[in-house]
Amino acid sequence: MSFNFTNFFTWQNLSILIDILVVWYILYLLLMLIKGTKAVQLAKGLVIIWVARQVAGWIGLNTFAYIVDQLLSWAVIGVIVIFQPEIRRGLEHLGRMPFFNGNAKTERQMSEKFVAELDKSIQYMSKRRIGALITIQRNTGLDDYIETGIGLDAEVTGALLINIFIPNTPLHDGAVIIRNGRIAVAAAYLPLSDNSMIPKKLGTRHRAAVGISEVTDAITIVVSEETGGVTITKNSQFMLDMTRDEYMKYLTSELVPQDEVKQTLFQKVLGRLWNWGADR
């Protein structure tokens, strides 16, 4: 009996292969979207529940399997409600993809300006030993902490950050939280860390910076009021007394897109159509 490989090269098999690749790619994007957020723990929980459901079906635990089925049927609605900010952020990110609007270069320039404004404020406050606490939201939402602050919704500028942290002013005590490239609030309260590895010489600002890094993936910048030293925390790690070159290198690598995107004629035309009327 001869085996004919040409039977595999059919449109039906090709469509199945494309279908599988598309599904896997979407799953990969979803995993990258929730990476470093609280949604990861929820995803792990759902996987455990699904595995338990399969085991229950195999060994005949019908009542348990029925209960789990009901939980899973409502899980989709629960995920949408609980992680609405993450879903919205993902859709916004999709709408800003260079394929559609070709704004990679503009985004890079805005990020570089953002880092430059941070540097301007850090240098000023460090030299004069003005204490500061600046938290930059990444993937994990900071809404719970934003609610504790005083709303600003202002553009990030060095002058504004300096004025916020000038001693004996209404907003200087607490943290500035930056979300989507704008100052969302000032005078916000962050959770304090109980980490015994934090040197005792460090004060409340440093403990708050480490504390927020333990529960979110935010980047937090601290300027010491006692020494003028600059500390950055992220993912439970803290980098003490960084030089200007060190923190600029770190902030640039974390906040500035590194890949330049070359636009094709098709992307330019599509980008113009996509952005048509956006600034009207």
Side-chain angles (χ1 to χ4, degrees):
M1 181 177 179
S2 61
F3 188 79
N4 191 356
F5 283 97
T6 58
N7 292 334
F8 285 94
F9 296 99
T10 63
W11 283 112
Q12 182 178 2
N13 290 340
L14 180 61
S15 64
I16 293 174
L17 177 61
I18 294 174
D19 189 23
I20 294 173
L21 292 176
V22 168
V23 170
W24 275 108
Y25 182 65
I26 292 174
L27 289 175
Y28 170 78
L29 291 180
L30 289 175
L31 290 175
M32 291 299 100
L33 180 63
I34 68 175
K35 182 180 178 181
T37 70
K38 293 181 288 186
V40 173
Q41 302 304 320
L42 176 64
K44 291 179 180 178
L46 291 175
V47 170
I48 293 174
I49 293 175
W50 182 81
V51 171
R53 168 63 182 86
Q54 299 305 312
V55 173
W58 290 337
I59 62 179
L61 300 180
N62 297 326
T63 303
F64 179 77
Y66 173 78
I67 294 174
V68 173
D69 285 338
Q70 299 306 309
L71 289 175
L72 291 176
S73 64
W74 288 97
V76 176
I77 299 176
V79 168
I80 295 175
V81 172
I82 296 173
F83 293 101
Q84 180 267 338
E86 284 78 7
I87 295 173
R88 181 183 63 187
R89 187 159 52 251
L91 293 175
E92 290 174 350
H93 178 72
L94 179 64
R96 291 194 297 266
M97 287 180 64
F99 179 80
F100 293 111
N101 56 18
N103 67 345
K105 185 176 180 181
T106 302
E107 184 178 350
R108 181 182 176 87
Q109 292 173 341
M110 292 176 60
S111 299
E112 290 174 342
K113 181 177 183 296
F114 173 67
V115 171
E117 294 296 329
L118 287 175
D119 176 48
K120 187 186 302 182
S121 65
I122 292 170
Q123 284 294 299
Y124 183 96
M125 294 185 288
S126 177
K127 292 177 181 178
R128 294 161 179 78
R129 298 188 179 182
I130 298 173
L133 181 60
I134 304 170
T135 295
I136 304 169
Q137 177 178 300
R138 303 304 301 281
N139 295 318
T140 307
L142 300 176
D143 291 351
D144 291 344
Y145 310 105
I146 289 175
E147 291 176 357
T148 68
I150 298 175
L152 293 179
D153 188 25
E155 180 183 354
V156 176
T157 65
L160 179 55
L161 289 171
I162 292 168
N163 280 332
I164 289 173
F165 290 109
I166 291 295
N168 302 320
T169 57
L171 300 180
H172 89 283
D173 191 18
V176 161
I177 298 180
I178 297 175
R179 177 175 61 184
N180 297 329
R182 296 180 64 82
I183 300 176
V185 295
Y189 293 99
L190 303 182
L192 300 182
S193 173
D194 295 326
N195 190 340
S196 60
M197 300 297 294
I198 301 176
K200 293 184 179 180
K201 65 178 181 179
L202 301 181
T204 303
R205 284 192 181 92
H206 290 82
R207 289 197 171 273
V210 177
I212 193 66
S213 74
E214 292 173 343
V215 295
T216 72
D217 62 344
I219 294 175
T220 301
I221 305 167
V222 183
V223 179
S224 173
E225 190 173 355
E226 289 74 24
T227 66
V230 179
T231 298
I232 293 180
T233 67
K234 184 188 178 186
N235 294 336
S236 302
Q237 303 295 320
F238 55 95
M239 295 159 277
L240 286 171
D241 297 328
M242 304 179 74
T243 65
R244 181 178 183 273
D245 290 339
E246 289 173 341
Y247 74 70
M248 282 295 291
K249 182 178 180 180
Y250 181 83
L251 292 176
T252 300
S253 65
E254 290 288 334
L255 302 175
V256 178
Q258 299 302 311
D259 296 326
E260 293 283 358
V261 178
K262 294 183 179 180
Q263 291 179 287
T264 64
L265 178 61
F266 173 75
Q267 288 177 315
K268 291 180 180 179
V269 173
L270 185 60
R272 289 183 177 276
L273 293 174
W274 183 268
N275 289 321
W276 185 82
D279 55 350
R280 296 179 180 230

